[in-house]
Amino acid sequence: MTAGRIALLAVLSLAASPALAQEEHAVISPDRVGCATGKPEIAIPACGHLIADRALPPDVHAIALRNRGVAYQNRGDLEKALADYEAAIHLGLAANGSKTLLAKTYVNAGMISARKGDEAKALADYASAIALDPSVGVAYLNRAALAEKRGDTAAALADLTQAARFSPKDPAVFVSRGALYANTGDQPHAIADFSTALALDATDANAWRNRASSYRRMGDTAHAAADLAQAIRLAPDVAASHRERAQTLQAGGDTDQAIAEFGRAIALNPSDAEAIKARGDAYLAKGQHDLAIADYTQAIGFDPAFRDAYNNRGAAYIAKADWDHAAADLTKVIELDPTLAAAVFNRGQVLEAKGERDRAIADFDAVIRLQPDMEAAWRHRAFLRHAKGDNPGAVADYAKAIELDPKDAEAWRGRGVAELDSRALDPAVADLTQAIALNANDALAYRFRSQAYGLKKDVVHATQDDTTAIRLNPELVKAAR
């Protein structure tokens, strides 16, 4: 079972291109000056006057449309901004003055389409921008955002590499590519990109925090702590930095300080389900199950589909032997993700503890279909088959468990007991002997081998094993009565 989910970094943002400035003219009217400001309250009416003046040439109309689009975009009026960008584009390259200006207009239009959820239109606009001027790096950056969103990491990485080529001084490109590397597990490349971003802009608290996260994932808590100190110094009220520092403290074994730092993160962002769940993980690690359950419950309240919060709350209930609540939580995890073998396995163990053997076997069947190399699933199913009297099935499952992990003493002992019950005495003695070789303190293995020797009429070995079993576990005397 996974203890927690590492929270995803903010990989890419759909950044607008810089405001499109007004071009030079022999006579600069107040409307032309106002239109170029980018301030919505000034630019929108000024640009409107220019657009309405049919006596002005197309290039002035294009400038006014672009600049009013930026002003609308700054105001958050995306529909009107998009209409202005598309009108400017419709005037064509001659009116827009240069391929670069027209490409940036396509980028802004694409960004708005992406925010509206029209990804096909956004992709078409970014492609048009790149076709006009392949050096406009933000087009690659924004297209990479859409590729990352649909899970196409290769395409996103290719576009970010192009963005880095054409915009080598833009730290946002390297932060974005670094975050993508981090989320795919390539922490060395992520650290390299975050370092490049910091060399370009040492005041970027987000880059410091993201590099710290990569260091933590590599087990380098010292460098992570140093980076987080910088991130928090630059932006002390960012909850994500305190959450990352808490995770770093926990990774370093300082659970108490981690809990305190999670508390600071939660105080800054009380609805941060990730931070609340992570503090629950810290409480769970300390054995404070009720506090862990309270945090997991709160996290689920903010995010009812928070799979890992259900899963870890189920683990806390298992630790309390509260089988019914554990089964309910694990069932919810499986509903959210039927392919999560660990959750199905955990529910199987819970059902086994409740004595619901058939349902437990069904869960272990499912685990074996999902993850056939999970040795413990074969061993648990073998135990249940043996408990139901299916000795051949138990022996076969134990054999598979042993094949997957030849050092699993429990599997050797289990197969030996199943063979003993089938009166296959020599194989039983051999398997129980192997179990003892792997775990010399296994009182049960000695006790069952004693029984096998007894059935073989080998009184000397039977007595020796029985004596050893009782010495290792005196409770076996009571069990024999």
Side-chain angles (χ1 to χ4, degrees):
M1 180 180 61
T2 303
R5 182 176 62 190
I6 296 172
L8 291 175
L9 300 174
V11 179
L12 298 169
S13 61
L14 291 170
S17 62
L20 305 178
Q22 184 179 7
E23 295 172 2
E24 293 288 340
H25 288 273
V27 178
I28 302 179
S29 70
D31 281 338
R32 291 185 181 184
V33 173
C35 182
T37 65
K39 297 178 180 178
E41 68 278 9
I42 298 172
I44 291 172
C47 293
H49 295 156
L50 297 173
I51 294 164
D53 188 345
R54 294 296 94 189
L56 292 173
D59 63 325
V60 176
H61 286 157
I63 294 167
L65 285 164
R66 292 198 306 268
N67 285 358
R68 191 173 67 173
V70 171
Y72 277 134
Q73 193 167 352
N74 289 341
R75 195 173 75 177
D77 194 338
L78 301 185
E79 292 288 351
K80 290 181 178 178
L82 183 59
D84 276 355
Y85 291 143
E86 290 182 340
I89 290 168
H90 183 70
L91 290 175
L93 179 59
N96 280 276
S98 76
K99 289 183 177 181
T100 299
L101 276 176
L102 188 54
K104 289 182 177 180
T105 308
Y106 270 113
V107 169
N108 283 9
M111 183 197 70
I112 292 173
S113 293
R115 286 183 176 173
K116 291 173 60 183
D118 189 348
E119 295 185 5
K121 176 67 166 57
L123 287 170
D125 283 343
Y126 297 145
S128 294
I130 292 166
L132 279 165
D133 185 350
S135 69
V136 177
V138 71
Y140 297 102
L141 180 66
N142 290 1
R143 191 169 69 175
L146 297 179
E148 192 274 338
K149 182 180 178 182
R150 67 176 181 268
D152 191 344
T153 301
L157 184 58
D159 272 348
L160 286 170
T161 298
Q162 286 291 82
R165 175 188 172 195
F166 292 116
S167 301
K169 300 298 183 182
D170 184 353
V173 171
F174 294 96
V175 171
S176 296
R177 190 173 67 176
L180 185 62
Y181 277 131
N183 286 336
T184 58
D186 188 348
Q187 306 310 330
H189 277 101
I191 289 169
D193 271 353
F194 294 138
S195 297
T196 299
L198 289 167
L200 293 166
D201 180 7
T203 67
D204 187 343
N206 184 51
W208 287 106
R209 181 177 69 252
N210 287 358
R211 191 172 72 171
S213 178
S214 286
Y215 277 130
R216 174 177 59 81
R217 295 184 195 187
M218 291 186 69
D220 188 345
T221 55
H223 276 103
D227 278 1
L228 286 166
Q230 289 282 32
I232 292 170
R233 179 182 65 79
L234 290 164
D237 294 333
V238 175
S241 294
H242 291 279
R243 184 178 72 193
E244 180 61 41
R245 182 153 73 178
Q247 291 173 316
T248 299
L249 287 164
Q250 190 168 358
D254 194 345
T255 304
D256 289 333
Q257 286 299 315
I259 289 170
E261 195 68 20
F262 279 127
R264 295 184 186 96
I266 294 164
L268 288 166
N269 184 3
S271 62
D272 184 351
E274 286 281 356
I276 296 166
K277 176 260 177 190
R279 186 175 66 179
D281 292 343
Y283 281 131
L284 184 61
K286 283 177 63 67
Q288 295 177 285
H289 303 124
D290 290 334
L291 289 173
I293 288 168
D295 271 356
Y296 294 139
T297 301
Q298 188 179 5
I300 289 165
F302 287 119
D303 182 0
F306 199 160
R307 185 197 71 182
D308 288 351
Y310 285 106
N311 192 60
N312 292 7
R313 190 172 69 174
Y317 280 129
I318 288 173
K320 288 168 61 70
D322 185 343
W323 308 124
D324 289 337
H325 279 105
D329 273 351
L330 291 167
T331 297
K332 182 64 176 180
V333 176
I334 295 163
E335 289 174 1
L336 292 168
D337 185 356
T339 68
L340 191 62
V344 183
F345 175 78
N346 287 346
R347 189 177 67 177
Q349 290 188 99
V350 168
L351 294 170
E352 182 179 334
K354 291 181 67 178
E356 298 184 34
R357 292 174 178 169
D358 290 336
R359 290 183 63 200
I361 287 174
D363 271 354
F364 294 130
D365 288 343
V367 175
I368 289 167
R369 286 194 299 272
L370 290 167
Q371 190 175 328
D373 62 347
M374 187 186 290
E375 179 271 338
W378 292 94
R379 172 163 43 81
H380 276 270
R381 191 175 72 173
F383 174 83
L384 291 168
R385 283 182 163 180
H386 182 214
K388 286 172 62 67
D390 181 5
N391 290 333
V395 168
D397 276 358
Y398 278 128
K400 183 64 177 180
I402 290 166
E403 175 189 326
L404 291 168
D405 183 4
K407 294 184 178 180
D408 185 349
E410 285 189 51
W412 285 101
R413 186 224 295 153
R415 189 171 71 172
V417 174
E419 289 162 341
L420 173 62
D421 286 351
S422 298
R423 293 301 186 268
L425 301 181
D426 289 335
V429 168
D431 280 353
L432 292 164
T433 299
Q434 182 62 28
I436 291 166
L438 292 166
N439 180 8
N441 295 317
D442 187 344
L444 287 174
Y446 282 104
R447 168 53 64 90
F448 286 119
R449 193 173 69 173
S450 170
Q451 293 175 6
Y453 278 133
L455 290 170
K456 285 169 60 70
K457 310 300 183 184
D458 187 341
V459 177
V460 173
H461 284 104
T463 302
Q464 288 175 347
D465 275 358
D466 197 49
T467 300
T468 302
I470 294 169
R471 175 177 59 79
L472 290 170
N473 183 4
E475 294 296 314
L476 291 175
V477 175
K478 298 178 184 178
R481 290 175 181 170

